[in-house]
Amino acid sequence: MAGRKQATTAGSEPEFACPVSPVVDIVFSRWTTPVLWALHTYGRQRFVELERRIGTITPKVLTQRLRQLERDGLVVRTYHPEVPPRVEYEISELGRSLAPLFAHLTEWGAANLGRVEEARRAYDADPARR
């Protein structure tokens, strides 16, 4: 394993301390969820279509994110050798397998984000915190 130190004990590597961490690093990196959501919701898209759907992402960042998602196996890039060349992106089966996770997070958000906002307001209003 070049570039990674060998674990001497199960607790010495962060992924062993919290097995969710590697998943969070992959799935919840900035821009990953909007890209996957757009591909899952609207299907196969060209770069410009995807960029338009996401809105606030720059072309450079979208390119980087798509490359990483393709490397991770969550997105499939298809090059069509025609004139002019055409490239399309779609969510892979592996990427689609995340749908239940996103559905649960959506449900959690609907049920709990109001409570999070209340907690934040109470925290910010507490004179002892100033």
Side-chain angles (χ1 to χ4, degrees):
M1 285 192 188
R4 288 190 61 169
K5 63 181 184 180
Q6 293 288 339
T8 54
T9 65
S12 65
E13 295 278 338
E15 60 266 24
F16 293 119
C18 178
V20 175
S21 292
V23 176
V24 169
D25 290 344
I26 293 167
V27 178
F28 298 108
S29 297
R30 179 83 168 125
W31 298 113
T32 295
T33 50
V35 169
L36 291 177
W37 179 84
L39 291 173
H40 185 271
T41 303
Y42 299 104
R44 183 181 302 134
Q45 297 172 64
R46 295 177 75 169
F47 184 91
V48 175
E49 295 170 307
L50 194 52
E51 182 182 25
R52 206 173 303 127
R53 288 204 197 282
I54 296 171
T56 55
I57 193 168
T58 66
K60 178 184 176 185
V61 172
L62 180 56
T63 298
Q64 291 170 340
R65 182 61 20 211
L66 285 167
R67 285 182 182 155
Q68 185 62 52
L69 291 169
E70 183 182 9
R71 181 174 181 257
D72 291 340
L74 301 176
V75 166
V76 176
R77 178 184 185 269
T78 304
Y79 174 79
H80 300 277
E82 50 194 42
V83 179
R86 182 169 48 102
V87 176
E88 295 176 316
Y89 298 90
E90 62 186 309
I91 194 166
S92 69
E93 283 300 316
L94 182 60
R96 271 191 215 82
S97 73
L98 292 167
L101 171 64
F102 291 138
H104 286 299
L105 289 171
T106 301
E107 290 169 14
W108 186 92
N112 294 294
L113 284 180
R115 293 171 54 198
V116 170
E117 285 302 317
E118 287 174 26
R120 288 177 179 170
R121 281 192 296 276
Y123 181 93
D124 292 345
D126 185 349
R129 303 242 183 247
R130 292 186 188 156

